[in-house]
Amino acid sequence: MQLNPDDRKRTILNTQLFVAGGGLAGVCAALAAARNGARVILCQDRSVLGGNASSEVRMHVSGSSPRGKELQTEARESGIIEEMMLECAVRNPQRSASMLDLILYEKCLAEPLLTLMLNTTVVGVRKEGNRIAAAFANRESTEDRFEITAEIFVDCTGDGRLGYEAGALFTTGREGAEEYGESAAAALRDAYRLGSSLLFTARDEGKPMPFVKPAWARTFSEDDLRFRGHNSWEYGFWWIEFGGMMDTIKDNETIRDELLAIMMGVWDHIKNSGNHPESANWALDWFGFLPGKRESRRFIGKHVLTQNDLEQAVDFEDVIAYGGWSMDTHPPAGIDAKEEKPCSQPYTPYMYGIPLRSLVSVNIDNLMFAGRNMSATHIAFSSTRVMATCAVAGEGLGTFAACALKSGKALADAWCDKQLIVEAQQQLLRQGAFLPGRLLADGNRAAESRITASSEQEIGRAAQVADRHTRTVSGPLGVRPDLTEPGTHRWMSEPSDKAPWLELRWEQPIDIRSITVVLDTGLHRPLSLSHQKANQNKMIWGPQPETIKQFRIMAEISGEDKEIVHVRDNYMRQLKFDVPIDRVSCLRIEVIETNGLNHARIVNIRIE
């Protein structure tokens, strides 16, 4: 008797939080939840993590950083995504795409509460009323089938496979202008969306490198590409875009085939048209077979984020993440829209908040989502879809989910619990994330001390390390003025000070359990693995020069100085030291070396 594949026994796995999708949104959601005490299973349908940032696609991680202005607008995303990018910049001087895969993999393996399941695809669910009771997943590489139960289910798949199987309400295409009162929307709703892309890398081999055009490749003239710059060849072109007038899920294989034909046709034009003779020594090094997908399903949440929300930078009470990329729409015809520019990219006036409600399903009681499938109109999505924004939304979701699970409240009650939301917001701030209009709560023992320094610049007074801010965002294109305060919000020693120190002294000795030091990592600059020279020239690859490389912390206890922390070879932004010590009269941070800057900077110090 032959066994029907549907009758094969499933292995039952139990967890608290199930995350489907291992792109940056899913990885950050899973890591945040696990680090905050939740048992998590992360399921990814491919062999590597990272989604469009992985070695399979190789898109650089974009976000709010183009808004950056030094010591005025520090827009780059911090928290878990910053931790990953800093580590990649230091550990990956060769800019290998596979090294980022490895770093994400290692991050997940390092968390004891996180179970990573690669090559495992969600194929269905079992429901009880309006709740998901279990997700069904298959791993064909081992011929295994799983039934995974959880209290909260999270869809970070991009295409929304888990939510779709559960019957979560979603939309596709472009809304009409009147639906949400959006001035940038088309007059009438249609089924069109942003297309997909295939990227490539190429290199100068130092000798003539012929290219033979495949018979099935398309042909492009210089006039066809007149709105699409193609004079730099080390990294492929995002405007090799196709499929926006098709179903980017059901037609994905057809779209991939056409993108290959387009890519080869563009490269043939560069190599063989005669318009670019300086390309003679250049050859393709790598090119993708997995389309980098921009848009498919968008779930309907408790709130649908709109163009107006972004432009007004609405101060959502339940803000859980933020964005700042332009509202980046493309013609649905992609490269075939030869008479149009390949994108329209107006920036919103300010960095904007993303509410928790846009990450919670409107009709499935225990379903959340983050990434490009979050609840947003097509116009709002055109900004929120970029990976760094997806990552911070994932961290916000994972942190809140862990708080909800810890409270014992079901998601149906937790998402609107004001006290629980504030708890999650404060935890996000403590772990290094940023939320517009939200500051660290009072209770920092550093604020009770008399703060002095060996030297200080006028714009970088020592006392600012305890002012509750962890970045400056009051400059051009920063946070809405009423949601922040001007200032650099950090201590900056004088460049002439060769042995800078910062001291916190209390009138009465205090007991200390932990010390958190937040350093400057140049958040006004982009930092992302990229193979494009134009992008590379905007960033510093390696340790960020503003960051303190070596320092020690001295504690005065009963009149005696004792070294309690000594940090060497640091490149991270936030360092927490669990150092339970009683009867401390003074803490002194002695800076020994930076990673290149001619003075010391400390953004924030928290003593608990």
Side-chain angles (χ1 to χ4, degrees):
M1 176 180 175
Q2 187 174 5
L3 184 67
N4 187 318
D6 291 336
D7 294 332
R8 282 183 292 166
K9 184 177 179 181
R10 291 188 178 273
T11 300
I12 297 177
L13 304 175
N14 300 296
T15 190
Q16 290 180 292
L17 187 74
F18 174 69
V19 180
L24 292 184
V27 170
C28 289
L31 288 173
R35 291 177 179 184
N36 280 288
R39 289 183 292 107
V40 182
I41 290 177
L42 172 60
C43 171
Q44 164 71 332
D45 64 352
R46 306 194 68 82
S47 58
V48 294
L49 298 165
N52 282 348
S54 75
S55 61
E56 293 184 311
V57 180
R58 306 194 184 190
M59 183 60 196
H60 41 250
V61 180
S62 297
S64 296
S65 58
R67 296 170 173 265
K69 192 171 180 64
E70 187 172 9
L71 295 177
Q72 295 184 57
T73 308
E74 295 180 314
R76 191 172 84 225
E77 293 75 10
S78 54
I80 293 175
I81 186 63
E82 169 79 343
E83 175 188 325
M84 293 171 176
M85 291 299 104
L86 289 171
E87 189 162 332
C88 187
V90 171
R91 291 180 55 193
N92 190 15
Q94 70 273 33
R95 296 182 188 266
S96 163
S98 294
M99 276 299 295
L100 180 57
D101 296 343
L102 181 65
I103 287 169
L104 300 180
Y105 175 74
E106 288 178 341
K107 292 289 181 188
C108 291
L109 290 190
E111 298 301 325
L113 294 178
L114 196 164
T115 299
L116 176 62
M117 301 176 67
L118 294 173
N119 298 309
T120 307
T121 304
V122 171
V123 296
V125 302
R126 175 167 56 83
K127 289 177 64 180
E128 295 176 356
N130 290 330
R131 298 182 73 260
I132 302 173
F136 300 130
N138 293 349
R139 188 170 62 206
E140 297 301 331
S141 61
T142 59
E143 300 177 359
D144 283 316
R145 295 152 58 82
F146 303 96
E147 180 176 339
I148 304 163
T149 66
E151 295 174 53
I152 297 176
F153 290 81
V154 179
D155 192 326
C156 294
T157 62
D159 282 345
R161 178 68 185 271
L162 173 63
Y164 174 76
E165 296 290 344
L169 293 176
F170 68 91
T171 189
T172 59
R174 306 186 296 185
E175 293 84 1
E178 293 187 359
E179 288 187 55
Y180 293 94
E182 295 180 308
S183 62
L188 300 175
R189 174 181 273 272
D190 60 40
Y192 297 156
R193 57 196 77 181
L194 300 185
S196 303
S197 293
L198 284 180
L199 295 170
F200 66 79
T201 59
R203 61 189 180 193
D204 185 343
E205 297 288 350
K207 61 182 180 181
M209 298 295 293
F211 175 74
V212 178
K213 177 186 176 182
W216 43 264
R218 288 178 55 173
T219 299
F220 295 94
S221 69
E222 192 70 10
D223 188 60
D224 292 336
L225 304 177
R226 66 186 182 277
F227 292 124
R228 291 159 173 80
H230 53 284
N231 292 317
S232 176
W233 312 305
E234 76 284 348
Y235 180 68
F237 310 118
W238 59 264
W239 48 256
I240 291 180
E241 182 175 358
F242 182 80
M245 302 178 77
M246 302 172 72
D247 185 331
T248 49
I249 296 175
K250 294 297 184 181
D251 297 324
N252 192 50
E253 294 295 296
T254 301
I255 291 169
R256 187 268 326 285
D257 292 346
E258 190 64 19
L259 282 170
L260 279 168
I262 292 168
M263 178 200 298
M264 292 298 169
V266 169
W267 188 249
D268 173 64
H269 169 79
I270 290 168
K271 292 289 293 182
N272 298 324
S273 69
N275 294 103
H276 306 280
E278 62 274 26
S279 70
N281 292 350
W282 283 76
L284 292 172
D285 175 56
W286 166 91
F287 44 89
F289 277 80
L290 177 66
K293 193 179 296 185
R294 291 182 176 87
E295 184 176 7
S296 47
R297 299 185 181 104
R298 302 189 305 279
F299 288 117
I300 305 299
K302 305 290 187 182
H303 177 79
V304 178
L305 201 66
T306 70
Q307 173 191 347
N308 300 317
D309 292 333
L310 271 57
E311 290 184 334
Q312 297 167 19
V314 173
D315 183 20
F316 293 107
E317 189 175 36
D318 58 341
V319 60
I320 206 74
Y322 78 97
W325 184 250
S326 62
M327 291 186 291
D328 184 6
T329 56
H330 302 182
I335 197 169
D336 290 327
K338 298 175 184 179
E339 305 303 319
E340 298 181 57
K341 292 184 178 180
C343 65
S344 172
Q345 297 179 314
Y347 274 91
T348 56
Y350 311 109
M351 297 156 63
Y352 57 83
I354 296 173
L356 174 67
R357 285 169 286 163
S358 291
L359 310 181
V360 180
S361 173
V362 72
N363 71 312
I364 303 298
D365 290 344
N366 62 340
L367 175 66
M368 303 181 75
F369 29 75
R372 60 183 174 85
N373 60 15
M374 66 172 279
S375 180
T377 65
H378 172 80
I379 297 299
F381 149 88
S382 71
S383 175
T384 63
R385 66 184 173 85
V386 291
M387 285 185 281
T389 305
C390 294
V392 294
E395 181 173 359
L397 180 156
T399 302
F400 174 81
C403 290
L405 290 165
K406 195 177 301 182
S407 75
K409 293 185 177 181
L411 178 62
D413 300 316
W415 74 267
C416 55
D417 186 312
K418 293 182 180 180
Q419 183 176 346
L420 201 58
I421 289 168
V422 170
E423 179 185 334
Q425 290 170 335
Q426 284 297 311
Q427 180 55 29
L428 280 163
L429 295 174
R430 282 194 296 271
Q431 65 199 31
F434 171 71
L435 299 174
R438 300 298 181 272
L439 296 177
L440 289 157
D442 293 327
N444 180 6
R445 303 303 300 271
E448 303 168 10
S449 67
R450 182 169 63 89
I451 304 175
T452 58
S454 55
S455 67
E456 58 183 15
Q457 298 185 36
E458 185 176 349
I459 61 170
R461 299 297 187 188
Q464 292 187 140
V465 299
D467 70 1
R468 300 169 64 198
H469 292 265
T470 56
R471 62 171 68 193
T472 176
V473 285
S474 59
L477 295 178
V479 164
R480 216 175 72 188
D482 60 316
L483 298 180
T484 189
E485 297 177 21
T488 63
H489 304 298
R490 73 205 65 206
W491 166 59
M492 302 164 61
S493 70
E494 290 284 358
S496 59
D497 187 350
K498 301 308 179 186
W501 51 261
L502 182 78
E503 188 173 275
L504 294 79
R505 184 171 292 277
W506 292 266
E507 289 187 7
Q508 299 295 326
I510 67 168
D511 297 340
I512 290 175
R513 293 298 170 261
S514 68
I515 303 169
T516 301
V517 180
V518 181
L519 302 174
D520 191 333
T521 49
L523 292 182
H524 63 284
R525 285 189 304 273
L527 183 66
S528 169
L529 177 62
S530 177
H531 305 284
Q532 186 176 35
K533 286 182 181 178
N535 262 7
Q536 293 172 3
N537 292 339
K538 297 175 184 176
M539 65 182 77
I540 295 173
W541 196 244
Q544 302 306 288
E546 299 91 343
T547 311
I548 297 175
K549 179 178 183 179
Q550 183 178 183
F551 66 92
R552 65 177 184 168
I553 302 178
M554 306 294 295
E556 183 181 314
I557 307 168
S558 301
E560 294 186 10
D561 289 337
K562 177 183 178 182
E563 181 180 289
I564 58 172
V565 171
H566 196 131
V567 175
R568 297 175 175 84
D569 297 321
N570 175 61
Y571 52 84
M572 285 296 176
R573 174 175 172 81
Q574 179 160 308
L575 304 169
K576 183 177 180 181
F577 309 103
D578 294 317
V579 283
I581 307 173
D582 295 339
R583 308 290 297 168
V584 176
S585 302
C586 177
L587 285 179
R588 183 185 181 103
I589 300 179
E590 298 178 351
V591 178
I592 301 168
E593 185 182 5
T594 72
N595 279 300
L597 196 67
N598 65 357
H599 64 273
R601 293 182 181 180
I602 296 178
V603 177
N604 184 263
I605 298 175
R606 296 199 300 280
I607 310 294
E608 297 173 342

